[in-house]
């Protein structure tokens, strides 16, 4: 059978792709990039049999526009494959070249955000590490919203967050991503130039943050010093008031003691006078 003949049973692609066709640019077999369980669910799904038969690179755009409304791998208790994942597997079979991917990412991606997300996912699966960083990093500035659907339900995400997950995580959309070397290693090997953030130089931003923290700290210390001075004045006033109260109480106590001693001396004098009068009366 000719290689150009399209078979309805895609299991032939799974069995013979590794030996009869070229590998992906990153050296992986396109038929085995996804896990076996996921591949079997895709081939047995209704969307794959109905919408992915006899599809070429141009038809993929129509399928994305008409049927893809969220990104994700499998969803529901039955773990059904999403149309997004089915079309990603179709791209692995078609193996589009860089010119087609450029149209997916640029012109088509500006109008259809899910087409851009699909192309980014395919680039992450099949291209080398330096090419992945070079192609995907410009889309970290895309702030458009995406729906993500999985076993836990539907959630909201963004294109830049989805691209960041592709660059940093090991598993996205029910697919284990091949481990790329870190960007710092690629920069040391001079395969990539240092990336400039849209926010500016990170070191300058960190220095500005340190200066702001230092200024705020000095202001806080000055305020704390003023508060401590005020507290010291208040404590001194309290101490002086307490000292005055103690002096007043001590003076009052001394006065009481004096009056008490006077009363006792007077009572003793009266008692002596009475005794003397009694003694003189007895003598008479």
């Amino acid at each position: 059978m000719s290689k150009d003949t399209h078979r309805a049973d895609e299991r032939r692609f799974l069995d013979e792709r590794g030996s009869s066709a070229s590998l992906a640019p990153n050296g992986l077999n396109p038929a085995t990039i996804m896990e076996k369980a996921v591949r079997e669910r895709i081939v047995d799904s209704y969307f794959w049999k109905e919408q992915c038969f006899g599809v070429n690179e141009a038809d993929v755009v129509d399928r994305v526009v008409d049927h893809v409304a969220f990104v994700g791998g499998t969803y529901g208790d039955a773990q059904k494959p999403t149309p997004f994942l089915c079309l990603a597997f179709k791209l692995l079979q078609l193996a589009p070249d860089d010119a087609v991917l450029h149209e997916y990412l640029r012109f088509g991606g500006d109008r259809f955000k899910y087409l851009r997300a699909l192309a980014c996912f395919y680039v992450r699966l099949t291209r080398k590490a330096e090419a992945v960083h070079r192609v995907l990093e410009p889309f970290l500035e895309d702030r458009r919203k995406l729906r993500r659907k999985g076993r836990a339900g539907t959630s909201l995400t963004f294109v830049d967050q989805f691209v960041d997950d592709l660059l940093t995580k090991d598993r996205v959309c029910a697919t284990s991503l091949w481990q790329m070397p870190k960007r710092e290693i690629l920069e040391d090997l001079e395969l990539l130039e240092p990336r400039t953030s849209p926010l500016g130089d990170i070191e300058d931003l960190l220095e500005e943050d340190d200066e702001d923290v230092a200024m705020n700290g000095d202001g806080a210390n000055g305020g704390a010093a003023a508060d401590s001075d005020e507290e010291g004045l208040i404590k001194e006033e309290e101490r002086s008031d307490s000292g005055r109260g103690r002096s007043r109480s001590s003076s009052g106590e001394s006065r009481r003691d004096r009056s008490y001693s006077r009363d006792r001396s007077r009572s003793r004098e009266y008692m002596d006078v009475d005794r003397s009068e009694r003694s003189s009366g007895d003598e008479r």
Side-chain angles (χ1 to χ4, degrees), residues 185-203:
I185 298 176
L186 298 176
E187 291 177 0
D188 294 338
L189 295 175
E190 297 182 355
L191 296 176
L192 288 177
E193 296 181 357
R195 180 174 178 267
T196 302
S197 174
L199 299 176
D201 191 0
I202 301 299
E203 296 181 356

Side-chain angles (χ1 to χ4, degrees), residues 93-135:
Q93 181 186 6
L94 296 174
D97 56 7
D98 293 338
V100 175
L101 291 177
H102 180 76
E103 294 299 326
Y104 285 171
L105 292 169
R106 297 295 179 182
F107 179 74
D110 292 337
R111 299 180 61 187
F112 310 112
K113 54 187 178 182
Y114 289 102
L115 180 60
R116 175 172 290 177
L118 179 64
C120 290
F121 183 63
Y122 176 75
V123 169
R124 176 63 176 87
L125 294 177
T126 59
R127 294 303 187 264
K128 294 182 179 180
E130 57 271 19
V132 170
H133 284 280
R134 194 178 298 111
V135 172

Side-chain angles (χ1 to χ4, degrees), residues 30-102:
T32 58
I33 289 178
M34 295 184 180
E35 291 88 344
K36 181 179 179 181
V38 176
R39 296 197 306 265
E40 292 179 351
R41 290 191 180 97
I42 292 173
V43 173
D44 293 335
S45 65
Y46 181 77
F47 180 83
W48 175 266
K49 295 177 180 178
E50 183 184 21
Q51 300 295 335
C52 297
F53 176 76
V55 173
N56 56 21
E57 290 86 347
D59 296 330
V60 170
V61 179
D62 296 333
R63 299 298 188 272
V64 171
V65 174
D66 295 337
H67 299 284
V68 177
F70 51 86
V71 299
T74 58
Y75 66 96
D77 295 334
Q79 297 186 11
K80 295 181 180 180
T82 61
F84 180 86
L85 190 64
C86 293
L87 291 173
F89 187 68
K90 189 64 181 180
L91 288 179
L92 290 174
Q93 181 186 6
L94 296 174
D97 56 7
D98 293 338
V100 175
L101 291 177
H102 180 76

Side-chain angles (χ1 to χ4, degrees), residues 129-130 133 167 178-186 189:
E130 57 271 19
H133 284 280
L167 293 174
W178 68 280
Q179 187 175 5
M180 294 192 307
K182 294 183 178 180
R183 200 182 197 287
E184 292 79 4
I185 298 176
L186 298 176
L189 295 175

Side-chain angles (χ1 to χ4, degrees), residues 139-150:
F139 303 116
L140 291 173
E141 302 179 10
D142 194 342
R143 302 294 190 269
R144 289 179 293 180
K145 297 179 180 180
L146 295 175
R147 283 189 292 270
R148 184 194 295 269
K149 193 170 186 179

